[in-house]
Amino acid sequence: MDKLLIEGGARLNGTICASGAKNAALPILCSALLSAEPLRLTNLPQLQDVRTTQRLLRELGAEVEADAETGTATITAATLTTHTAPYELVKTMRASILVLGPLLARSGEARVSLPGGCAIGARPVDIHLEGLRAMGAEVIVEGGFIHARASRLKGTRFFMDTVTVTGTENLMMAATLAEGTTVLENAAREPEIADLAACLNAMGARISGAGTATITVEGVDALHGADHRVLPDRIEIGTFLVAGAMTRGQVTVRGAGSGLLDAVLRKLEQAGATVMVDDDAISLDMAGRRPQAVDVHTAPFPGFPTDMQAQFMAMNCIAEGVGTVVETVFENRFMHALELQRLGADIRVEGNTAIVRGREQLQGAPVMATDLRASAGLVLAGLVADRHTLVDRIYHLDRGYERLEEKFRDLGAHVQRVTRAPQEAA
Ligand code: UD1
């Protein structure tokens, strides 16, 4: 199993390009199921989760021509051969639930394995199911599968009790082919939802308000083919900027877009960074200064993203002062705290709050990745720890970061992928 070996101490300096957003790519790939005509995508990140989604679409009968080199794919779901998303695929990627809405809307029936729990909490899908029921579907959960049926979904007004990203996406996709108008209230406002809506509208859907808490979808009879470019990955961008801040360096991310990560940039400025944003790039400069500890409180967009929480906890571990990290989105997302303690971090966890007292120096050690963003936090800590840090189970990282170690190396970090632990890090 691959591991990442990091030799800490290098100050990051340089420019990298942002990849396409995983969390936009996955729902957009699934939206291809809504049309019999080809959906042509560019700026697709080459990630395990993207490959898993493409496999799932093929399994359902879609033709997928993907070119990993150029980050393009054409998906044609001319006919669907099955309406079942099997457990073997869904268990490897919770986002597989995103085929539920499109499958049901397109073929009148969907059987999708229940995703089950995951390392960062229970993550139920009750709101996805309630929303589909409100649109007239018959939905039962049996034998570990969600089984939904509706000859044609009907537009409705639906208030979501909890702000859910994939829930909003599933219902928005389903509503495109419903009879009449659907209004989704208390919808998630993440930029990836607006990107999905842009793609669906290019396919002939009639969606307004995506990116706000109220989304209106006027159902149409069919969607057609389209071309769409996936938006940049704000979590990847944020991760590299935090790496720049932690190493007291200077990092520019090109192709970053603006307005995608304001809450994160504000926190980096509070930490002492000079941040410059223009149309195409975000630059961060620490001018050799040690970061100041910052308080972080995760919340749905436009609040501070839970997917950046582990990275900021890592920064607080070596910052000047004490920083408090409050996780409000997921109930069990502090597993990286224990691993950071193995590197010498001073972290006290009380419920959903972690109090982090910055240390001058962390010490390299073998650590274990537990989920995608937790792994990113460990890699960042490794960049500033002395000697070597060996991060195990990096298949989590490969699910969400494209060419991670290459990009870090481009910035001057000493990071390499290994299959066996060298003596000094074992
Ligand atoms: C998406 C992102 C993930 C990010 C998360 C929060 C994708 C593919 N993944 O995950 O990277 O960390 O948003 O920004 O886009 N909930 C319910 N009932 C439901 C659905 C959700 O109670 O039916 C709860 C969850 O348990 C969680 C909260 O709502 O506590 C937010 O979860 P949600 O926004 O659904 O996360 P995902 O869409 O799974």
Side-chain angles (χ1 to χ4, degrees):
M1 200 183 293
D2 286 3
K3 300 173 195 215
L4 220 52
L5 179 64
I6 304 157
E7 187 187 332
R11 181 172 290 186
L12 299 196
N13 194 328
T15 301
I16 52 159
C17 286
S19 294
K22 169 179 88 72
N23 286 355
L26 304 186
I28 287 171
L29 282 164
C30 295
S31 75
L33 295 172
L34 288 162
S35 169
E37 295 180 16
L39 177 63
R40 285 170 296 271
L41 302 175
T42 52
N43 205 31
L44 271 181
Q46 295 313 306
L47 301 170
Q48 193 53 45
D49 276 8
V50 168
R51 287 187 284 272
T52 304
T53 307
Q54 290 171 346
R55 228 181 105 199
L56 180 55
L57 297 179
R58 283 196 187 101
E59 185 90 15
L60 297 168
E63 219 174 83
V64 181
E65 284 170 43
D67 181 348
E69 281 303 302
T70 55
T72 57
T74 301
I75 306 105
T76 313
T79 47
L80 298 177
T81 49
T82 169
H83 51 252
T84 299
Y87 178 62
E88 289 64 40
L89 281 174
V90 176
K91 75 174 181 199
T92 64
M93 188 187 67
R94 287 186 46 84
S96 310
I97 189 72
L98 285 164
V99 298
L100 177 64
L103 260 185
L104 176 62
R106 172 86 185 281
S107 53
E109 189 162 2
R111 257 184 101 240
V112 178
S113 172
L114 265 179
C118 72
I120 63 173
R123 293 180 97 172
V125 290
D126 53 316
I127 295 166
H128 303 231
L129 307 192
E130 266 173 46
L132 294 175
R133 284 193 186 105
M135 293 167 79
E138 185 199 322
V139 185
I140 54 167
V141 178
E142 208 176 44
F145 274 83
I146 301 159
H147 194 175
R149 264 183 300 210
S151 54
R152 186 169 182 193
L153 294 167
K154 293 194 174 41
T156 189
R157 180 173 286 271
F158 182 67
F159 178 88
M160 285 178 266
D161 274 347
T162 306
V163 178
T164 156
V165 176
T166 48
T168 302
E169 291 165 345
N170 238 335
L171 298 178
M172 187 169 81
M173 286 191 279
T176 58
L177 294 181
E179 187 186 338
T181 300
T182 302
V183 180
L184 301 173
E185 285 173 346
N186 200 26
R189 291 179 280 167
E190 269 65 4
E192 291 76 21
I193 290 171
D195 200 39
L196 169 64
C199 177
L200 291 167
N201 283 344
M203 294 166 76
R206 301 175 73 178
I207 302 171
S208 58
T212 75
T214 305
I215 299 177
T216 304
V217 187
E218 281 174 59
V220 296
D221 289 337
L223 296 183
H224 51 69
D227 294 327
H228 183 78
R229 181 178 169 80
V230 175
L231 97 165
D233 195 315
R234 62 196 166 97
I235 305 302
E236 184 206 30
I237 298 164
T239 301
F240 280 101
L241 294 178
V242 175
M246 288 175 70
T247 60
R248 310 183 185 192
Q250 190 278 325
V251 167
T252 297
V253 185
R254 271 197 213 293
S258 63
L260 292 177
L261 65 169
D262 290 352
V264 169
L265 299 183
R266 259 201 311 277
K267 287 293 163 191
L268 286 168
E269 282 171 343
Q270 276 176 26
T274 303
V275 176
M276 301 238 300
V277 181
D278 65 36
D279 284 349
D280 184 52
I282 301 180
S283 299
L284 169 142
D285 192 354
M286 284 302 277
R289 287 186 301 270
R290 180 182 178 190
Q292 299 288 321
V294 289
D295 293 334
V296 164
H297 185 111
T298 67
F301 193 86
F304 185 91
T306 173
D307 286 351
M308 286 299 301
Q309 181 255 100
Q311 297 89 319
F312 272 74
M313 188 185 291
M315 183 170 80
N316 278 342
C317 291
I318 49 90
E320 204 170 325
V322 179
T324 301
V325 177
V326 184
E327 173 59 58
T328 71
V329 179
F330 292 113
E331 75 270 28
N332 186 21
R333 211 177 193 181
F334 278 155
M335 311 238 286
H336 43 284
L338 288 169
E339 296 298 311
L340 289 168
Q341 283 167 351
R342 293 178 44 75
L343 300 175
D346 179 351
I347 305 173
R348 202 172 81 237
V349 174
E350 285 178 13
N352 69 344
T353 302
I355 299 134
V356 188
R357 188 175 297 274
R359 292 226 195 261
E360 282 278 349
Q361 182 70 59
L362 297 177
Q363 288 92 44
V367 287
M368 186 100 81
T370 50
D371 71 66
L372 169 53
R373 305 306 170 184
S375 335
L378 298 178
V379 173
L380 299 190
L383 292 176
V384 294
D386 69 358
R387 301 179 61 247
H388 292 100
T389 296
L390 188 68
V391 184
D392 199 353
R393 299 204 180 163
I394 58 162
Y395 55 84
H396 289 294
L397 279 173
D398 292 335
R399 287 188 37 227
Y401 287 94
E402 183 178 51
R403 298 189 296 108
L404 182 86
E405 67 270 29
E406 257 174 66
K407 289 190 182 188
F408 271 126
R409 278 203 296 268
D410 288 347
L411 295 172
H414 303 297
V415 179
Q416 51 172 307
R417 189 176 283 256
V418 289
T419 44
R420 272 176 57 203
Q423 209 59 42
E424 62 214 303

